[in-house]
Amino acid sequence: MALRIGSAIWFFGTLFMAGYFFHSWFKIRACVRMASMEEYLLEDRAVRIYRCGEIETPFLFGVMHPRICVPSSMDRKELPYIVRHEMAHRRRGDHLVKPLSFFLLSVHWFNPLIWVAFKMLCRDMELACDEMVIRDMKGKDRKAYARALLNSSVWKEKAATCPVAFGELSVKERVRNILNYRKPT
């Protein structure tokens, strides 16, 4: 009897998490479909970005053909830094890893260590992309990147558990790392 009740609780918890994933996916997809696409020239290479008025922070969305989505209100001076950051996510394959890790979280939702691991994975993804972007930057450019990060950050915890987009997590720690970055020898 206890096994049957526990199985039912686990099943409905997993179903709830899967529902949350698909709700988030279709909600963001609807925003992205309404976005206006523009070509952005980054280091002699055209990159497609999608401007959307209904989003608060830039992110990479999609699995097969990930799109860089930015808020319509984003300042053009900050765009190169944001595009580089989102391109780093794409090169690293984070757009594949994050949904897969959320699937594992959905199956093991009852385990608090999996929640901690998911949050740390998301944080580490952001830190790794920051390092890829700032690796060859000078101090002035790193400050501009940190400013762009601060201006585009969302101060809500919902970004921490959004399964399909890369929200801005642990902004204070990231800015500190950017400003104190020393290139490895």
Side-chain angles (χ1 to χ4, degrees):
M1 183 67 168
L3 183 62
R4 187 175 286 171
I5 292 171
S7 296
I9 291 171
W10 170 81
F11 176 75
F12 286 114
T14 301
L15 199 62
F16 174 79
M17 295 290 287
Y20 175 69
F21 176 87
F22 287 112
H23 172 76
S24 298
W25 182 273
F26 289 115
K27 186 177 178 182
I28 291 174
R29 192 176 89 174
C31 288
V32 171
R33 283 191 175 182
M34 302 301 283
S36 60
M37 192 270 294
E38 67 182 59
E39 294 281 329
Y40 179 76
L41 195 62
L42 180 69
E43 299 167 357
D44 298 330
R45 182 174 166 215
V47 177
R48 287 184 181 169
I49 62 169
Y50 294 81
R51 287 192 174 266
C52 183
E54 297 180 28
I55 61 174
E56 300 175 40
T57 187
F59 57 86
L60 187 65
F61 178 73
V63 175
M64 297 305 288
H65 303 287
R67 298 175 174 187
I68 298 173
C69 304
V70 297
S72 295
S73 60
M74 177 163 278
D75 188 0
R76 290 208 60 87
K77 291 185 291 186
E78 297 173 351
L79 209 50
Y81 303 110
I82 299 303
V83 170
R84 282 187 185 105
H85 179 86
E86 299 305 331
M87 292 292 289
H89 278 301
R90 186 185 295 171
R91 278 192 300 273
R92 288 175 32 84
D94 292 345
H95 62 286
L96 302 171
V97 172
K98 191 166 183 183
L100 179 63
S101 63
F102 192 82
F103 170 75
L104 294 173
L105 177 68
S106 298
V107 173
H108 298 280
W109 62 267
F110 53 87
N111 186 342
L113 294 177
I114 299 296
W115 284 92
V116 171
F118 180 76
K119 189 163 184 155
M120 291 177 73
L121 172 78
C122 294
R123 188 198 69 185
D124 288 347
M125 283 179 181
E126 296 297 334
L127 291 173
C129 289
D130 288 341
E131 187 171 336
M132 281 181 76
V133 172
I134 65 172
R135 185 176 297 142
D136 297 321
M137 285 184 177
K138 303 285 186 242
K140 184 177 121 182
D141 287 332
R142 284 200 314 262
K143 286 179 184 177
Y145 177 65
R147 193 173 307 111
L149 174 66
L150 282 172
N151 291 339
S152 65
S153 65
V154 175
W155 299 97
K156 297 177 186 152
E157 274 299 306
K158 73 177 183 178
T161 57
C162 184
V164 295
F166 294 94
E168 303 302 330
L169 303 171
S170 52
V171 176
K172 184 177 179 181
E173 176 186 5
R174 290 174 63 194
V175 168
R176 190 178 317 122
N177 285 343
I178 291 166
L179 296 178
N180 297 324
Y181 179 75
R182 301 283 181 253
K183 191 171 184 176
T185 57

